[in-house]
Amino acid sequence: MQLDSKIPAGSLAEKWTKHKFNVKLVNPANKRKYDIIVVGTGLAGAAAAASFAELGYNVNAFCFQDSPRRAHSIAAQGGINAAKNYTNEGDSVHRLFYDTIKGGDFRAREANVHRLAEVSNDIIDQCVAQGVPFAREYGGLLDNRSFGGSLVSRTFYAKGQTGQQLLLGAYSALSRQIALGKVKMHTRTEMLDVVMVDGKARGIITRNLITGKIEAHSAHAVVLATGGYSNVYFLSTNAMGSNVTAAWRAHRKGALFANPSYTQIHPTCIPVHGTQQSKLTLMSESLRNDGRVWVPRTKGDTRKAKDIPEAERFYYLEEKYPTFGNLVPRDVASRNAKYMCDQGYGVGASKLAVYLDFKDSIKRLGKKAIEEKYGNLFDMYQQITNSNPYEEPMMIYPAPHYTMGGLWVDYNLMTNLTGLYAIGEANFSDHGANRLGASALMQGLADGYFVIPYTIGDYLATQKYDKIPTDHPEFKKALDENKAHLESILSRKGTKTPDEIHIELGRIMMNYCGMSRTAEGLQEARKKVQQLQHDFKNNLKMVGTNDELNITLEKANRVEDFLELGELMILDALNRNESCGGHFREEYQTPEGEALRNDNDFAYVAAWEYTGGAGKDPVLHKEELEFENVKLTQRSYK
């Protein structure tokens, strides 16, 4: 299979502008003749659905939540990047481009990342016009704060609830189109399959989560905006309902899955506090602007933080990385926190935590200033831990968060399946091997508002207006197959619940394919995951029927996909004999313990082809990455 990324020719700064001019256009009067399906209504999906409808297309939007407002995008707290340079610190589109390429450890496409930086300023203007209440400084300009991996302040924010406010902006645009009848909204509906007709994606199969009804929906193009897959680890910062099923079912139909092992472990999360937890809580990276990370200088120190004098506190990020300090990128901060705990410096009852201390900032700026910036985050932390972060340091530890892998897409955001697009976190994205903070919101809105509305027209302009009826043989076949598959799952009467299998999968993935990986550990992990796949098939305990609200069936359906995805993540990590970004192979590190890349052999996107799952090795396809505008160097934040 030959991967064609369709990156336009010409200079980097002109590629997107020229491409927009060269794409085919659909006559405004003809747009109403085309139907588009959008699966997922987070930032990317809501923005895309609203934009398509505004252009005149007919849109069917689907989400498994009871409202688009419930999408996990609301959980992104800290902010969104843009190259406005309001702080007059020397920021620019090129600097944002370079920081993002470098932050991803030079494992992303130059053209895609530059486009992301280009449209970043338009995103801010769009959101302000929608009424998003960004923080403002005294002169009236939008305020900015710093995030990891950058030496300039370019992150726009709305207190500690930026994702929620941005989603409300996109949701308002979507709601307008729903009211106008251009978008038909399908809530509490989960996608089960992509329907291919004559080699093109022409619809989807869904299940109503309330009634169990399985239906077919037809369109001229399908857009997946279904988020990431960190819940493969079971305990993650993702909402419990977040899953990989839509993307994985597309993968089973032939869509390539790229860089699955590139997962991000976020350094600033509330530590695990028991065996009965269902998820972990993120404390925004923005807190590292004013909070200082430290551990006691003495191993095994059991004193309370307030009893440890300043001279006996080890501000390890500030000492090891004096230039960036506490604002090193997430992968670097996470690995260092794990290392300190592994060496015996951890704090708290579990000793798997480090301190994030605001004492100095409160003393310097005053409690009110800190409250204005982070008040809701401090309140959330206190409600969960019963500890007041204004008076004593937060305790934090890394947790699975964002996934840089996803469906392979070209420059137009189309997968290798004609007519099937993936946007936002559902695609393998613009982040390479690591995502810089405040760039997930940027990518989601860039894809939804400013990229796919142009690029999907290039495809639709070549398609006939005729809509494939849902009684077409391919739709009937897909309906029958999915009904039979669900009945097969429901027929299993073993002893292990879907949650029990999922918890065990998460434990395997975190221990062997989490922050640190080894060849030996990954080989052992694959055997363990294959055993779990056998358990799922032969010892799954199911209850209820398909024709009702059946949470157990929902979970089982998703866990089956996580089991196959977990094995692919392990294979991808085993295949990549280097360390880069969030993929840290212990065999490949510098003497200082930093990630050691192998640009000669692994400067490529790993795009995997499905060959049947469960024990059958997938086929690897490589998209070689070419760097003409940046120099590949060992990342340094010292």
Side-chain angles (χ1 to χ4, degrees):
M1 183 183 298
Q2 187 67 35
L3 294 180
D4 181 6
S5 62
K6 295 185 173 63
I7 296 173
S11 67
L12 185 66
E14 296 178 345
K15 286 181 186 294
W16 178 231
T17 300
K18 287 185 175 180
H19 189 65
K20 285 190 292 183
F21 178 77
N22 290 326
V23 295
K24 300 179 184 68
L25 300 177
V26 179
N27 184 320
N30 290 335
K31 286 184 174 128
R32 60 178 173 268
K33 299 175 183 177
Y34 290 111
D35 294 347
I36 302 174
I37 285 173
V38 178
V39 185
T41 54
L43 281 181
S51 299
F52 292 151
E54 185 72 38
L55 287 169
Y57 298 111
N58 305 306
V59 181
N60 275 276
F62 298 81
C63 70
F64 65 76
Q65 301 95 341
D66 58 0
S67 166
R69 295 193 308 275
R70 303 282 190 187
H72 189 61
S73 300
I74 68 166
Q77 302 157 333
I80 177 171
N81 288 332
K84 289 282 193 182
N85 194 33
Y86 284 163
T87 55
N88 200 29
E89 294 175 318
D91 201 8
S92 64
V93 166
H94 187 79
R95 188 180 294 277
L96 175 54
F97 154 74
Y98 179 75
D99 286 347
T100 306
I101 282 279
K102 176 185 174 184
D105 221 345
F106 303 95
R107 289 293 177 263
R109 286 189 195 133
E110 280 190 338
N112 285 56
V113 176
H114 196 277
R115 175 174 66 187
L116 181 65
E118 282 182 70
V119 304
S120 66
N121 293 339
D122 296 331
I123 295 169
I124 302 303
D125 295 341
Q126 169 91 357
C127 294
V128 169
Q130 289 176 337
V132 174
F134 286 119
R136 294 181 181 269
E137 49 90 32
Y138 181 76
L141 285 178
L142 302 184
D143 199 11
N144 289 124
R145 56 189 178 201
S146 300
F147 258 63
S150 171
L151 291 176
V152 298
S153 297
R154 62 161 68 100
T155 304
F156 296 77
Y157 65 98
K159 208 169 187 178
Q161 50 185 259
T162 314
Q164 181 177 1
Q165 297 302 325
L166 290 172
L167 184 63
L168 288 173
Y171 174 68
S172 67
L174 177 61
S175 296
R176 179 173 178 270
Q177 297 302 324
I178 293 172
L180 291 171
K182 293 300 291 181
V183 174
K184 184 177 181 181
M185 189 69 233
H186 305 261
T187 58
R188 301 296 286 143
T189 304
E190 184 153 42
M191 179 187 133
L192 300 179
D193 208 352
V194 176
V195 180
M196 304 294 295
V197 179
D198 297 328
K200 298 175 183 177
R202 297 305 301 263
I204 62 173
I205 304 299
T206 63
R207 178 177 182 268
N208 185 300
L209 297 180
I210 303 299
T211 67
K213 186 177 182 181
I214 300 174
E215 296 179 298
H217 303 270
S218 174
H220 295 90
V222 177
V223 179
L224 302 185
T226 49
Y229 49 86
S230 271
N231 276 356
V232 71
Y233 293 98
F234 187 73
L235 284 180
S236 82
T237 65
N238 285 196
M240 287 182 64
S242 298
N243 63 84
V244 75
T245 289
W248 195 256
R249 299 301 168 85
H251 178 52
R252 284 183 182 172
K253 279 295 177 71
L256 301 180
F257 208 100
N259 297 339
S261 66
Y262 285 170
T263 57
Q264 184 175 79
I265 313 295
H266 196 294
T268 318
C269 300
I270 297 178
V272 175
H273 60 73
T275 59
Q276 303 302 310
Q277 275 184 268
S278 56
K279 74 177 299 294
L280 297 171
T281 303
L282 172 70
M283 289 286 102
S284 170
E285 181 184 322
S286 62
L287 294 171
R288 287 195 279 141
N289 270 288
D290 292 298
R292 302 179 70 192
V293 179
W294 66 276
V295 292
R297 286 195 179 274
T298 304
K299 293 182 180 182
D301 195 327
T302 58
R303 290 177 292 175
K304 293 182 178 180
K306 64 180 181 181
D307 297 328
I308 301 177
E310 192 68 23
E312 297 178 35
R313 299 182 177 194
F314 182 17
Y315 296 94
Y316 58 90
L317 290 178
E318 296 175 31
E319 292 188 26
K320 190 173 180 180
Y321 307 97
T323 300
F324 282 76
N326 294 299
L327 289 174
V328 292
R330 292 175 178 177
D331 61 320
V332 177
S334 291
R335 276 199 298 276
N336 276 274
K338 180 180 186 295
Y339 177 79
M340 298 309 299
C341 292
D342 289 348
Q343 295 300 307
Y345 295 96
V347 301
S350 68
K351 300 301 178 185
L352 291 176
V354 298
Y355 287 127
L356 181 61
D357 198 338
F358 294 86
K359 180 188 68 174
D360 292 344
S361 292
I362 291 173
K363 184 177 179 180
R364 185 179 75 255
L365 302 172
K367 180 181 176 182
K368 184 178 180 182
I370 297 299
E371 189 174 9
E372 288 176 350
K373 287 183 178 181
Y374 314 113
N376 62 308
L377 298 173
F378 277 44
D379 291 344
M380 183 166 62
Y381 181 87
Q382 184 167 5
Q383 288 175 23
I384 292 171
T385 66
N386 197 32
S387 172
N388 186 345
Y390 293 105
E391 298 175 359
E392 51 190 336
M394 288 183 179
M395 282 193 283
I396 58 169
Y397 192 71
H401 180 53
Y402 189 90
T403 54
M404 286 75 70
L407 293 179
W408 182 90
V409 292
D410 62 19
Y411 190 72
N412 292 324
L413 305 183
M414 187 189 287
T415 69
N416 60 296
L417 298 184
T418 304
L420 178 67
Y421 293 80
I423 61 177
E425 195 178 355
N427 69 31
F428 82 101
S429 76
D430 304 337
H431 309 300
N434 176 55
R435 178 175 72 78
L436 289 185
S439 60
L441 300 180
M442 177 171 61
Q443 190 219 340
L445 291 178
D447 286 357
Y449 280 138
F450 297 105
V451 179
I452 200 165
Y454 285 101
T455 60
I456 202 168
D458 188 51
Y459 169 68
L460 291 176
T462 66
Q463 302 305 302
K464 296 178 180 178
Y465 303 133
D466 298 341
K467 187 176 174 181
I468 302 293
T470 54
D471 60 359
H472 186 280
E474 289 297 333
F475 277 94
K476 285 187 172 182
K477 179 184 176 184
L479 278 168
D480 291 342
E481 287 176 348
N482 281 277
K483 287 176 182 177
H485 183 65
L486 291 177
E487 290 302 327
S488 170
I489 291 176
L490 282 165
S491 69
R492 301 172 194 179
K493 305 299 179 184
T495 62
K496 287 190 174 182
T497 67
D499 273 345
E500 288 172 331
I501 293 176
H502 195 178
I503 289 168
E504 183 58 27
L505 172 65
R507 190 176 295 118
I508 294 167
M509 296 303 296
M510 195 62 191
N511 289 341
Y512 297 102
C513 197
M515 272 188 284
S516 185
R517 299 125 186 230
T518 66
E520 182 181 1
L522 290 165
Q523 288 163 352
E524 179 68 18
R526 189 182 186 193
K527 294 176 185 176
K528 290 177 179 289
V529 171
Q530 287 176 343
Q531 180 58 50
L532 271 186
Q533 290 169 344
H534 181 269
D535 272 2
F536 184 89
K537 196 169 185 178
N538 298 283
N539 200 22
L540 181 67
K541 181 180 180 180
M542 293 299 297
V543 296
T545 69
N546 179 55
D547 301 321
E548 61 181 345
L549 174 65
N550 189 336
I551 303 298
T552 305
L553 178 58
E554 280 182 47
K555 289 180 177 179
N557 194 42
R558 297 166 184 169
V559 170
E560 182 179 38
D561 298 325
F562 277 137
L563 286 166
E564 289 190 356
L565 167 67
E567 185 176 6
L568 182 63
M569 290 170 65
I570 291 164
L571 279 172
D572 189 49
L574 193 56
N575 176 75
R576 190 168 283 276
N577 294 320
E578 65 166 352
S579 291
C580 54
H583 168 65
F584 191 76
R585 284 279 297 273
E586 291 182 18
E587 306 97 319
Y588 308 101
Q589 54 182 301
T590 67
E592 296 80 21
E594 305 295 346
L596 183 62
R597 292 194 325 271
N598 178 350
D599 295 328
N600 290 330
D601 299 322
F602 294 98
Y604 62 75
V605 176
W608 296 89
E609 180 183 356
Y610 187 81
T611 57
K616 297 181 180 179
D617 285 351
V619 176
L620 173 62
H621 303 276
K622 300 177 182 180
E623 179 200 334
E624 300 293 337
L625 292 170
E626 297 180 4
F627 296 93
E628 301 174 355
N629 298 273
V630 298
K631 182 180 179 182
L632 297 179
T633 58
Q634 173 66 34
R635 274 199 308 165
S636 176
Y637 295 96
K638 295 187 176 182

